[in-house]
Amino acid sequence: MQFHIPADTIKALLVIAAKSDIRHYLNSMCIDVRATDAVAVATDGHKLLALPLTVTDDAPALVPGCYIIRREALEGVKAVLKRPILVTIDPTTRTATIDNGNAATTTPLMDDKYPDWRRVVPLAVSGEVSQFNAEYVGAFGKVHKLLGGAYSPSIRHNGDNAARVILPGDAVGVLMPMRGDPQPLDNPSWLVPPSAIEPAEVPEPAEVPEPADVPEPAEVAEVA
């Protein structure tokens, strides 16, 4: 099976894949093949990118399966004159050959089982606002640019469930939200506007006791 994959697409997939996860298959790219289509997928468990692949006209019939190519074999790919990278999967020998037009490298496929990634892709979203890890959002910004986007990706919020990231072409992004529990904020005094500062209460003056009544002097009796 042979697939033409642009070098920037491979870079985009590696942006989303994990880098040093103990689950080594998450550090890699998977080509998920069915009888009628093939998709390149990368995920780190928090974010996911999937792109449909074009099968070369003279390629053998598709052999269903998940074919995992190690990150190390893909990181060394250098684009030559912007030509797509030719990736050949041999299900019999369990190898992948990566050819940029000037050089070809053959590497063993990983034997791990790749996650059932389609299960986490939402086919509809609620629109309920979510919170996201800023680093993950930034990663999709890089992906959007690598895939030819002019501005930034759009996120379709889905509450506490996985959100869809809208990317150029037929690419599909998935982003897991963070928990949105209310958290108290520590606001320093210099941040609070003067209008929000309540004036200190001025104590009322103490009451001055009224003077005690002074008895009038007794009348002096007249001297006879």
Side-chain angles (χ1 to χ4, degrees):
M1 297 177 292
Q2 293 182 323
F3 310 95
H4 283 121
I5 308 177
D8 282 347
T9 294
I10 292 177
K11 292 178 183 178
L13 288 159
L14 294 181
V15 167
I16 297 302
K19 291 181 174 61
S20 56
D21 200 294
I22 58 173
R23 298 163 294 179
H24 301 295
Y25 53 86
L26 293 183
N27 303 326
S28 308
M29 177 185 81
C30 175
I31 297 182
D32 188 343
V33 180
R34 300 190 296 187
T36 56
D37 53 48
V39 181
V41 186
T43 181
D44 65 355
H46 303 284
K47 52 190 184 296
L48 179 147
L49 175 63
L51 305 103
L53 296 179
T54 301
V55 183
T56 58
D57 294 336
D58 57 349
L62 294 176
V63 179
C66 286
Y67 303 97
I68 308 173
I69 305 175
R70 302 175 188 275
R71 168 183 280 273
E72 295 78 11
L74 298 166
E75 285 180 329
V77 173
K78 303 297 181 183
V80 178
L81 300 176
K82 296 296 182 180
R83 286 181 295 190
I85 307 300
L86 178 62
V87 178
T88 303
I89 302 293
D90 189 331
T92 303
T93 61
R94 298 285 303 166
T95 59
T97 300
I98 303 165
D99 186 350
N100 69 353
N102 280 358
T105 303
T106 299
T107 181
L109 295 168
M110 297 180 68
D111 292 327
D112 301 79
K113 182 179 180 181
Y114 205 73
D116 186 2
W117 59 273
R118 285 185 175 87
R119 290 179 54 192
V120 304
V121 179
L123 302 181
V125 295
S126 66
E128 182 183 352
V129 176
S130 311
Q131 296 187 41
F132 302 103
N133 183 306
E135 182 179 351
Y136 300 158
V137 174
F140 273 112
K142 296 177 182 177
V143 167
H144 192 266
K145 184 175 180 180
L146 285 166
L147 297 181
Y151 299 103
S152 59
S154 174
I155 300 175
R156 299 291 190 265
H157 290 238
N158 199 22
D160 292 333
N161 301 306
R164 281 282 291 272
V165 182
I166 308 304
L167 298 166
D170 293 330
V172 171
V174 177
L175 185 58
M176 298 302 295
M178 298 172 61
R179 291 186 58 182
D181 297 338
Q183 298 291 330
L185 296 176
D186 183 14
N187 296 318
S189 59
W190 53 262
L191 184 63
V192 181
S195 59
I197 301 176
E198 296 183 1
E201 294 185 1
V202 179
E204 296 182 3
E207 294 184 2
V208 179
E210 295 182 2
D213 292 338
V214 178
E216 295 183 1
E219 293 183 359
V220 179
E222 294 183 0
V223 179

Short mmCIF file of all heavy atoms in Angstrom, two decimals, residues 152-218:
data_model
loop_
_atom_site.label_atom_id
_atom_site.label_comp_id
_atom_site.label_asym_id
_atom_site.label_seq_id
_atom_site.Cartn_x
_atom_site.Cartn_y
_atom_site.Cartn_z
N SER A 152 -6.40 31.23 12.46
CA SER A 152 -6.29 30.31 13.59
C SER A 152 -7.46 29.34 13.56
O SER A 152 -8.49 29.63 12.95
CB SER A 152 -6.27 31.09 14.91
OG SER A 152 -7.46 31.85 15.06
N PRO A 153 -7.32 28.19 14.21
CA PRO A 153 -8.40 27.21 14.16
C PRO A 153 -9.60 27.64 15.00
O PRO A 153 -9.48 28.45 15.92
CB PRO A 153 -7.75 25.95 14.76
CG PRO A 153 -6.67 26.47 15.64
CD PRO A 153 -6.16 27.71 14.97
N SER A 154 -10.74 27.10 14.67
CA SER A 154 -11.96 27.36 15.42
C SER A 154 -12.29 26.12 16.26
O SER A 154 -12.15 25.00 15.78
CB SER A 154 -13.12 27.66 14.46
OG SER A 154 -14.34 27.76 15.17
N ILE A 155 -12.68 26.34 17.51
CA ILE A 155 -13.01 25.24 18.42
C ILE A 155 -14.50 25.20 18.63
O ILE A 155 -15.11 26.21 19.01
CB ILE A 155 -12.27 25.39 19.77
CG1 ILE A 155 -10.75 25.40 19.55
CG2 ILE A 155 -12.66 24.26 20.71
CD1 ILE A 155 -9.96 25.66 20.82
N ARG A 156 -15.11 24.06 18.39
CA ARG A 156 -16.54 23.86 18.64
C ARG A 156 -16.70 23.25 20.03
O ARG A 156 -16.41 22.08 20.25
CB ARG A 156 -17.14 22.94 17.58
CG ARG A 156 -17.05 23.50 16.16
CD ARG A 156 -17.95 24.72 15.98
NE ARG A 156 -18.05 25.11 14.57
CZ ARG A 156 -17.31 26.03 13.98
NH1 ARG A 156 -16.40 26.67 14.70
NH2 ARG A 156 -17.46 26.32 12.71
N HIS A 157 -17.13 24.08 20.97
CA HIS A 157 -17.20 23.67 22.38
C HIS A 157 -18.26 22.58 22.58
O HIS A 157 -19.28 22.55 21.88
CB HIS A 157 -17.51 24.88 23.25
CG HIS A 157 -16.37 25.85 23.34
ND1 HIS A 157 -15.79 26.23 24.51
CD2 HIS A 157 -15.68 26.52 22.36
CE1 HIS A 157 -14.82 27.09 24.28
NE2 HIS A 157 -14.74 27.29 22.98
N ASN A 158 -17.99 21.76 23.59
CA ASN A 158 -18.87 20.61 23.83
C ASN A 158 -18.97 20.27 25.31
O ASN A 158 -19.04 19.10 25.69
CB ASN A 158 -18.37 19.39 23.04
CG ASN A 158 -19.42 18.33 22.85
OD1 ASN A 158 -20.61 18.61 22.92
ND2 ASN A 158 -19.00 17.11 22.61
N GLY A 159 -18.93 21.32 26.17
CA GLY A 159 -19.05 21.10 27.60
C GLY A 159 -17.92 20.25 28.15
O GLY A 159 -16.75 20.49 27.86
N ASP A 160 -18.26 19.24 28.95
CA ASP A 160 -17.27 18.37 29.55
C ASP A 160 -16.81 17.26 28.61
O ASP A 160 -15.99 16.41 29.00
CB ASP A 160 -17.83 17.74 30.84
CG ASP A 160 -18.03 18.76 31.94
OD1 ASP A 160 -17.32 19.78 31.93
OD2 ASP A 160 -18.91 18.56 32.80
N ASN A 161 -17.33 17.24 27.41
CA ASN A 161 -16.96 16.21 26.44
C ASN A 161 -15.96 16.75 25.43
O ASN A 161 -15.68 17.94 25.38
CB ASN A 161 -18.22 15.71 25.72
CG ASN A 161 -19.24 15.14 26.68
OD1 ASN A 161 -18.94 14.24 27.47
ND2 ASN A 161 -20.46 15.66 26.64
N ALA A 162 -15.41 15.85 24.62
CA ALA A 162 -14.41 16.23 23.63
C ALA A 162 -14.96 17.28 22.67
O ALA A 162 -16.12 17.20 22.24
CB ALA A 162 -13.94 15.00 22.87
N ALA A 163 -14.14 18.27 22.34
CA ALA A 163 -14.53 19.33 21.42
C ALA A 163 -13.93 19.04 20.04
O ALA A 163 -12.91 18.36 19.92
CB ALA A 163 -14.05 20.68 21.93
N ARG A 164 -14.56 19.58 19.01
CA ARG A 164 -14.02 19.47 17.65
C ARG A 164 -13.22 20.72 17.31
O ARG A 164 -13.64 21.84 17.63
CB ARG A 164 -15.16 19.29 16.65
CG ARG A 164 -15.71 17.89 16.57
CD ARG A 164 -14.85 16.93 15.76
NE ARG A 164 -14.85 17.24 14.35
CZ ARG A 164 -15.75 16.77 13.49
NH1 ARG A 164 -16.71 15.96 13.90
NH2 ARG A 164 -15.67 17.09 12.21
N VAL A 165 -12.10 20.52 16.66
CA VAL A 165 -11.28 21.63 16.19
C VAL A 165 -11.40 21.67 14.67
O VAL A 165 -11.15 20.68 13.99
CB VAL A 165 -9.81 21.46 16.61
CG1 VAL A 165 -8.99 22.67 16.15
CG2 VAL A 165 -9.70 21.28 18.12
N ILE A 166 -11.82 22.82 14.16
CA ILE A 166 -12.03 22.99 12.72
C ILE A 166 -10.71 23.40 12.07
O ILE A 166 -10.13 24.43 12.40
CB ILE A 166 -13.12 24.03 12.44
CG1 ILE A 166 -14.40 23.69 13.23
CG2 ILE A 166 -13.41 24.11 10.95
CD1 ILE A 166 -14.94 22.30 12.98
N LEU A 167 -10.24 22.57 11.13
CA LEU A 167 -8.94 22.76 10.49
C LEU A 167 -9.11 22.80 8.97
O LEU A 167 -10.17 22.42 8.45
CB LEU A 167 -8.01 21.61 10.89
CG LEU A 167 -7.68 21.52 12.39
CD1 LEU A 167 -7.06 20.18 12.72
CD2 LEU A 167 -6.77 22.67 12.81
N PRO A 168 -8.09 23.23 8.25
CA PRO A 168 -8.21 23.31 6.78
C PRO A 168 -8.47 21.94 6.15
O PRO A 168 -8.07 20.89 6.67
CB PRO A 168 -6.83 23.84 6.36
CG PRO A 168 -6.33 24.57 7.55
CD PRO A 168 -6.83 23.80 8.74
N GLY A 169 -9.15 21.97 5.02
CA GLY A 169 -9.41 20.75 4.27
C GLY A 169 -10.28 19.78 5.03
O GLY A 169 -11.22 20.16 5.73
N ASP A 170 -9.94 18.51 4.90
CA ASP A 170 -10.72 17.45 5.55
C ASP A 170 -10.13 17.03 6.89
O ASP A 170 -10.57 16.03 7.47
CB ASP A 170 -10.81 16.23 4.63
CG ASP A 170 -11.61 16.50 3.37
OD1 ASP A 170 -12.52 17.34 3.44
OD2 ASP A 170 -11.32 15.89 2.33
N ALA A 171 -9.15 17.76 7.38
CA ALA A 171 -8.53 17.40 8.66
C ALA A 171 -9.53 17.55 9.80
O ALA A 171 -10.36 18.46 9.80
CB ALA A 171 -7.30 18.26 8.91
N VAL A 172 -9.44 16.66 10.77
CA VAL A 172 -10.31 16.69 11.94
C VAL A 172 -9.45 16.74 13.19
O VAL A 172 -8.53 15.93 13.36
CB VAL A 172 -11.22 15.44 11.98
CG1 VAL A 172 -11.96 15.36 13.32
CG2 VAL A 172 -12.22 15.48 10.84
N GLY A 173 -9.73 17.72 14.05
CA GLY A 173 -9.03 17.83 15.33
C GLY A 173 -9.98 17.57 16.48
O GLY A 173 -11.18 17.88 16.39
N VAL A 174 -9.45 17.01 17.54
CA VAL A 174 -10.23 16.75 18.75
C VAL A 174 -9.43 17.28 19.94
O VAL A 174 -8.21 17.06 20.02
CB VAL A 174 -10.52 15.25 18.94
CG1 VAL A 174 -11.28 15.01 20.24
CG2 VAL A 174 -11.32 14.71 17.75
N LEU A 175 -10.11 17.97 20.84
CA LEU A 175 -9.45 18.56 22.00
C LEU A 175 -10.26 18.24 23.25
O LEU A 175 -11.46 18.52 23.31
CB LEU A 175 -9.33 20.07 21.81
CG LEU A 175 -8.58 20.88 22.86
CD1 LEU A 175 -7.16 20.37 23.02
CD2 LEU A 175 -8.58 22.35 22.47
N MET A 176 -9.59 17.64 24.23
CA MET A 176 -10.28 17.31 25.48
C MET A 176 -10.29 18.53 26.40
O MET A 176 -9.30 19.25 26.49
CB MET A 176 -9.58 16.14 26.18
CG MET A 176 -9.57 14.86 25.36
SD MET A 176 -11.23 14.27 24.91
CE MET A 176 -11.90 13.90 26.55
N PRO A 177 -11.42 18.79 27.07
CA PRO A 177 -11.51 19.98 27.92
C PRO A 177 -10.89 19.74 29.30
O PRO A 177 -10.62 18.60 29.70
CB PRO A 177 -13.03 20.18 28.04
CG PRO A 177 -13.57 18.78 28.00
CD PRO A 177 -12.68 18.03 27.04
N MET A 178 -10.66 20.85 30.00
CA MET A 178 -10.26 20.79 31.40
C MET A 178 -11.51 20.87 32.26
O MET A 178 -12.57 21.30 31.80
CB MET A 178 -9.33 21.96 31.73
CG MET A 178 -8.03 21.99 30.95
SD MET A 178 -7.11 23.53 31.24
CE MET A 178 -6.81 23.43 33.01
N ARG A 179 -11.37 20.45 33.51
CA ARG A 179 -12.50 20.57 34.42
C ARG A 179 -12.79 22.04 34.67
O ARG A 179 -11.89 22.84 34.87
CB ARG A 179 -12.19 19.86 35.74
CG ARG A 179 -12.10 18.35 35.62
CD ARG A 179 -11.96 17.71 36.97
NE ARG A 179 -13.07 18.04 37.85
CZ ARG A 179 -13.17 17.63 39.12
NH1 ARG A 179 -12.24 16.89 39.65
NH2 ARG A 179 -14.22 17.98 39.86
N GLY A 180 -14.07 22.38 34.66
CA GLY A 180 -14.45 23.78 34.80
C GLY A 180 -15.00 24.13 36.17
O GLY A 180 -15.84 25.03 36.27
N ASP A 181 -14.55 23.44 37.23
CA ASP A 181 -15.05 23.75 38.57
C ASP A 181 -14.68 25.19 38.94
O ASP A 181 -13.58 25.65 38.64
CB ASP A 181 -14.45 22.79 39.60
CG ASP A 181 -14.87 21.35 39.34
OD1 ASP A 181 -15.90 21.16 38.67
OD2 ASP A 181 -14.18 20.43 39.81
N PRO A 182 -15.59 25.90 39.61
CA PRO A 182 -15.27 27.27 40.03
C PRO A 182 -14.06 27.28 40.95
O PRO A 182 -13.93 26.44 41.85
CB PRO A 182 -16.55 27.73 40.76
CG PRO A 182 -17.63 26.81 40.27
CD PRO A 182 -16.96 25.50 39.99
N GLN A 183 -13.17 28.22 40.72
CA GLN A 183 -11.96 28.35 41.53
C GLN A 183 -11.87 29.77 42.07
O GLN A 183 -12.10 30.73 41.33
CB GLN A 183 -10.71 28.03 40.70
CG GLN A 183 -10.67 26.62 40.14
CD GLN A 183 -10.48 25.58 41.23
OE1 GLN A 183 -9.87 25.86 42.24
NE2 GLN A 183 -11.02 24.38 41.01
N PRO A 184 -11.52 29.92 43.36
CA PRO A 184 -11.36 31.29 43.89
C PRO A 184 -10.15 31.96 43.26
O PRO A 184 -9.16 31.31 42.91
CB PRO A 184 -11.15 31.04 45.39
CG PRO A 184 -10.60 29.64 45.48
CD PRO A 184 -11.24 28.88 44.36
N LEU A 185 -10.23 33.27 43.11
CA LEU A 185 -9.14 34.04 42.52
C LEU A 185 -8.46 34.87 43.59
O LEU A 185 -9.12 35.45 44.46
CB LEU A 185 -9.67 34.95 41.41
CG LEU A 185 -10.27 34.25 40.19
CD1 LEU A 185 -10.84 35.29 39.22
CD2 LEU A 185 -9.25 33.39 39.49
N ASP A 186 -7.14 34.92 43.52
CA ASP A 186 -6.36 35.74 44.45
C ASP A 186 -6.07 37.06 43.75
O ASP A 186 -5.21 37.13 42.87
CB ASP A 186 -5.07 35.01 44.82
CG ASP A 186 -4.24 35.79 45.83
OD1 ASP A 186 -4.80 36.74 46.42
OD2 ASP A 186 -3.05 35.47 46.01
N ASN A 187 -6.79 38.10 44.11
CA ASN A 187 -6.65 39.40 43.46
C ASN A 187 -5.78 40.32 44.30
O ASN A 187 -6.18 40.74 45.40
CB ASN A 187 -8.02 40.04 43.24
CG ASN A 187 -8.88 39.23 42.30
OD1 ASN A 187 -8.40 38.73 41.29
ND2 ASN A 187 -10.15 39.09 42.63
N PRO A 188 -4.58 40.69 43.80
CA PRO A 188 -3.75 41.63 44.55
C PRO A 188 -4.40 43.00 44.61
O PRO A 188 -5.23 43.35 43.77
CB PRO A 188 -2.44 41.66 43.74
CG PRO A 188 -2.85 41.23 42.37
CD PRO A 188 -3.97 40.27 42.54
N SER A 189 -4.00 43.78 45.58
CA SER A 189 -4.63 45.09 45.79
C SER A 189 -4.47 46.02 44.60
O SER A 189 -5.34 46.82 44.29
CB SER A 189 -4.04 45.75 47.04
OG SER A 189 -2.63 45.91 46.89
N TRP A 190 -3.30 45.88 43.86
CA TRP A 190 -3.06 46.78 42.73
C TRP A 190 -3.96 46.48 41.53
O TRP A 190 -4.04 47.27 40.60
CB TRP A 190 -1.60 46.74 42.30
CG TRP A 190 -1.08 45.35 42.02
CD1 TRP A 190 -0.36 44.57 42.87
CD2 TRP A 190 -1.25 44.59 40.82
NE1 TRP A 190 -0.06 43.37 42.29
CE2 TRP A 190 -0.59 43.34 41.03
CE3 TRP A 190 -1.87 44.81 39.60
CZ2 TRP A 190 -0.55 42.35 40.06
CZ3 TRP A 190 -1.83 43.82 38.64
CH2 TRP A 190 -1.18 42.61 38.87
N LEU A 191 -4.63 45.32 41.57
CA LEU A 191 -5.49 44.95 40.46
C LEU A 191 -6.91 45.48 40.63
O LEU A 191 -7.63 45.66 39.66
CB LEU A 191 -5.51 43.43 40.33
CG LEU A 191 -6.27 42.82 39.16
CD1 LEU A 191 -5.65 43.26 37.83
CD2 LEU A 191 -6.27 41.30 39.25
N VAL A 192 -7.29 45.74 41.85
CA VAL A 192 -8.67 46.13 42.14
C VAL A 192 -8.87 47.61 41.83
O VAL A 192 -8.10 48.46 42.31
CB VAL A 192 -9.00 45.85 43.61
CG1 VAL A 192 -10.45 46.21 43.92
CG2 VAL A 192 -8.74 44.38 43.95
N PRO A 193 -9.85 47.97 40.98
CA PRO A 193 -10.08 49.39 40.67
C PRO A 193 -10.56 50.14 41.90
O PRO A 193 -11.20 49.57 42.78
CB PRO A 193 -11.17 49.32 39.59
CG PRO A 193 -11.84 48.01 39.78
CD PRO A 193 -10.78 47.07 40.29
N PRO A 194 -10.24 51.43 41.95
CA PRO A 194 -10.63 52.22 43.14
C PRO A 194 -12.12 52.16 43.43
O PRO A 194 -12.53 52.17 44.58
CB PRO A 194 -10.18 53.65 42.77
CG PRO A 194 -9.11 53.46 41.75
CD PRO A 194 -9.49 52.23 40.99
N SER A 195 -12.93 52.10 42.37
CA SER A 195 -14.37 52.11 42.58
C SER A 195 -14.87 50.87 43.31
O SER A 195 -15.97 50.86 43.84
CB SER A 195 -15.09 52.23 41.22
OG SER A 195 -14.73 51.13 40.39
N ALA A 196 -14.02 49.82 43.30
CA ALA A 196 -14.45 48.58 43.94
C ALA A 196 -13.98 48.48 45.38
O ALA A 196 -14.30 47.53 46.08
CB ALA A 196 -13.92 47.38 43.15
N ILE A 197 -13.18 49.48 45.80
CA ILE A 197 -12.67 49.46 47.17
C ILE A 197 -13.65 50.20 48.06
O ILE A 197 -13.94 51.38 47.86
CB ILE A 197 -11.28 50.10 47.26
CG1 ILE A 197 -10.30 49.34 46.34
CG2 ILE A 197 -10.78 50.12 48.68
CD1 ILE A 197 -8.92 49.97 46.29
N GLU A 198 -14.17 49.54 49.06
CA GLU A 198 -15.12 50.17 49.97
C GLU A 198 -14.35 51.09 50.93
O GLU A 198 -13.31 50.69 51.48
CB GLU A 198 -15.89 49.11 50.75
CG GLU A 198 -16.77 48.23 49.86
CD GLU A 198 -17.56 47.24 50.68
OE1 GLU A 198 -17.40 47.28 51.92
OE2 GLU A 198 -18.31 46.45 50.10
N PRO A 199 -14.83 52.31 51.10
CA PRO A 199 -14.13 53.21 52.04
C PRO A 199 -14.18 52.65 53.45
O PRO A 199 -15.13 51.98 53.85
CB PRO A 199 -14.93 54.52 51.91
CG PRO A 199 -16.29 54.09 51.42
CD PRO A 199 -16.04 52.91 50.54
N ALA A 200 -13.11 52.93 54.16
CA ALA A 200 -13.06 52.44 55.54
C ALA A 200 -14.14 53.15 56.36
O ALA A 200 -14.44 54.33 56.15
CB ALA A 200 -11.68 52.70 56.13
N GLU A 201 -14.72 52.42 57.26
CA GLU A 201 -15.76 53.01 58.10
C GLU A 201 -15.13 53.96 59.11
O GLU A 201 -14.14 53.63 59.77
CB GLU A 201 -16.53 51.90 58.81
CG GLU A 201 -17.33 51.02 57.85
CD GLU A 201 -18.17 50.02 58.62
OE1 GLU A 201 -18.11 50.05 59.87
OE2 GLU A 201 -18.88 49.22 57.98
N VAL A 202 -15.70 55.15 59.18
CA VAL A 202 -15.23 56.14 60.17
C VAL A 202 -16.04 55.95 61.45
O VAL A 202 -17.28 56.02 61.41
CB VAL A 202 -15.41 57.58 59.64
CG1 VAL A 202 -14.94 58.60 60.68
CG2 VAL A 202 -14.65 57.74 58.33
N PRO A 203 -15.36 55.70 62.54
CA PRO A 203 -16.12 55.46 63.78
C PRO A 203 -16.87 56.72 64.20
O PRO A 203 -16.38 57.84 64.07
CB PRO A 203 -15.03 55.08 64.79
CG PRO A 203 -13.77 55.66 64.24
CD PRO A 203 -13.92 55.61 62.76
N GLU A 204 -18.05 56.51 64.66
CA GLU A 204 -18.84 57.64 65.15
C GLU A 204 -18.21 58.15 66.45
O GLU A 204 -17.67 57.37 67.25
CB GLU A 204 -20.27 57.21 65.38
CG GLU A 204 -20.97 56.79 64.09
CD GLU A 204 -22.42 56.41 64.37
OE1 GLU A 204 -22.83 56.54 65.55
OE2 GLU A 204 -23.11 56.01 63.42
N PRO A 205 -18.26 59.48 66.64
CA PRO A 205 -17.69 60.02 67.90
C PRO A 205 -18.44 59.50 69.11
O PRO A 205 -19.64 59.25 69.07
CB PRO A 205 -17.86 61.54 67.73
CG PRO A 205 -18.97 61.69 66.73
CD PRO A 205 -18.85 60.51 65.80
N ALA A 206 -17.66 59.32 70.16
CA ALA A 206 -18.28 58.82 71.40
C ALA A 206 -19.24 59.87 71.95
O ALA A 206 -19.02 61.07 71.81
CB ALA A 206 -17.20 58.49 72.42
N GLU A 207 -20.29 59.39 72.51
CA GLU A 207 -21.26 60.32 73.08
C GLU A 207 -20.69 60.97 74.34
O GLU A 207 -20.07 60.31 75.18
CB GLU A 207 -22.56 59.58 73.43
CG GLU A 207 -23.29 59.05 72.20
CD GLU A 207 -24.62 58.43 72.60
OE1 GLU A 207 -24.93 58.46 73.81
OE2 GLU A 207 -25.31 57.92 71.71
N VAL A 208 -20.87 62.30 74.42
CA VAL A 208 -20.42 63.04 75.62
C VAL A 208 -21.56 63.00 76.64
O VAL A 208 -22.68 63.42 76.32
CB VAL A 208 -20.06 64.50 75.27
CG1 VAL A 208 -19.63 65.26 76.52
CG2 VAL A 208 -18.98 64.51 74.21
N PRO A 209 -21.28 62.47 77.78
CA PRO A 209 -22.39 62.38 78.77
C PRO A 209 -22.87 63.78 79.18
O PRO A 209 -22.09 64.73 79.25
CB PRO A 209 -21.75 61.65 79.95
CG PRO A 209 -20.28 61.90 79.81
CD PRO A 209 -20.02 61.99 78.34
N GLU A 210 -24.14 63.92 79.36
CA GLU A 210 -24.70 65.19 79.80
C GLU A 210 -24.25 65.46 81.23
O GLU A 210 -24.12 64.54 82.04
CB GLU A 210 -26.22 65.14 79.72
CG GLU A 210 -26.73 65.00 78.30
CD GLU A 210 -28.25 65.01 78.27
OE1 GLU A 210 -28.85 65.17 79.36
OE2 GLU A 210 -28.82 64.87 77.17
N PRO A 211 -24.00 66.74 81.54
CA PRO A 211 -23.55 67.05 82.93
C PRO A 211 -24.64 66.70 83.94
O PRO A 211 -25.83 66.80 83.66
CB PRO A 211 -23.29 68.55 82.89
CG PRO A 211 -24.09 69.05 81.74
CD PRO A 211 -24.11 67.94 80.73
N ALA A 212 -24.16 66.26 85.07
CA ALA A 212 -25.12 65.89 86.14
C ALA A 212 -25.82 67.15 86.65
O ALA A 212 -25.25 68.26 86.65
CB ALA A 212 -24.39 65.19 87.28
N ASP A 213 -27.04 67.00 87.08
CA ASP A 213 -27.78 68.13 87.63
C ASP A 213 -27.13 68.60 88.94
O ASP A 213 -26.86 67.78 89.84
CB ASP A 213 -29.24 67.75 87.89
CG ASP A 213 -29.97 67.50 86.58
OD1 ASP A 213 -29.51 68.01 85.52
OD2 ASP A 213 -30.99 66.76 86.60
N VAL A 214 -26.86 69.91 89.03
CA VAL A 214 -26.27 70.47 90.28
C VAL A 214 -27.43 71.05 91.13
O VAL A 214 -28.19 71.90 90.64
CB VAL A 214 -25.25 71.61 89.96
CG1 VAL A 214 -24.70 72.21 91.24
CG2 VAL A 214 -24.16 71.05 89.06
N PRO A 215 -27.57 70.53 92.30
CA PRO A 215 -28.68 71.04 93.13
C PRO A 215 -28.53 72.55 93.43
O PRO A 215 -27.41 73.04 93.60
CB PRO A 215 -28.61 70.20 94.39
CG PRO A 215 -27.18 69.73 94.43
CD PRO A 215 -26.73 69.61 93.04
N GLU A 216 -29.61 73.25 93.39
CA GLU A 216 -29.57 74.67 93.74
C GLU A 216 -29.24 74.81 95.22
O GLU A 216 -29.65 73.99 96.07
CB GLU A 216 -30.92 75.32 93.43
CG GLU A 216 -31.25 75.30 91.94
CD GLU A 216 -32.56 76.01 91.67
OE1 GLU A 216 -33.18 76.52 92.65
OE2 GLU A 216 -32.95 76.04 90.49
N PRO A 217 -28.51 75.91 95.57
CA PRO A 217 -28.17 76.07 97.00
C PRO A 217 -29.42 76.33 97.84
O PRO A 217 -30.37 76.94 97.37
CB PRO A 217 -27.24 77.30 97.00
CG PRO A 217 -27.59 78.03 95.73
CD PRO A 217 -27.97 76.98 94.76
N ALA A 218 -29.36 75.82 99.03
CA ALA A 218 -30.52 76.02 99.94
C ALA A 218 -30.66 77.51 100.30
O ALA A 218 -29.71 78.23 100.38
CB ALA A 218 -30.32 75.16 101.19
#
